[in-house]
Amino acid sequence: MSVLGPQSATLTNVAASATSVTLFAAIGNAKGRAVHNDSAAVLYVKFGSSASSSSHTVQLGAGAYYELPSPVYSGAVTGVWSSATGIARLTEW
C-alpha cells in the first residue's frame, strides 16, 4: 500500500516591502510551505504577525530557499525585507 502526498500546490509571488506583509495566510491544513527569496535584499520571515529585523523566525539571504519544518506551521507567516526590491516566491501544498 502506498501513501500519496498532496497532488496540487499553490504558487504565489509577494512583492518585497520595507514594512511587514503577509506571506502565507493562516489555514488549518497546510501540508507544506516553501519560500524562495528572489531578491538581493535580506528577507526576515516570522511565524506570526509583524515580522521585523529584530523579531523573526528565520533570516533569508539573497536567493535563499526555506521549507518550513514538519509538522508544518499553518498559522499566518509574515515577512519584511531589508530593502524593498525583488519578490518572494511562495509555494504551499
Side-chain angles (χ1 to χ4, degrees):
M1 179 175 154
S2 70
V3 177
L4 297 176
Q7 300 298 305
S8 64
T10 302
L11 282 68
T12 56
N13 294 331
V14 174
S17 174
T19 59
S20 185
V21 295
T22 299
L23 300 178
F24 295 105
I27 62 168
N29 61 351
K31 303 295 184 218
R33 290 175 163 178
V35 179
H36 171 226
N37 181 22
D38 197 356
S39 169
V42 171
L43 168 58
Y44 300 96
V45 177
K46 182 175 182 179
F47 293 7
S49 61
S50 302
S52 71
S53 61
S54 61
S55 178
H56 59 275
T57 304
V58 64
Q59 176 180 320
L60 301 178
Y65 172 85
Y66 178 72
E67 203 166 296
L68 278 68
S70 187
V72 174
Y73 172 74
S74 57
V77 177
T78 57
V80 65
W81 285 258
S82 59
S83 172
T85 178
I87 60 174
R89 298 188 187 276
L90 309 171
T91 304
E92 185 168 48
W93 62 93

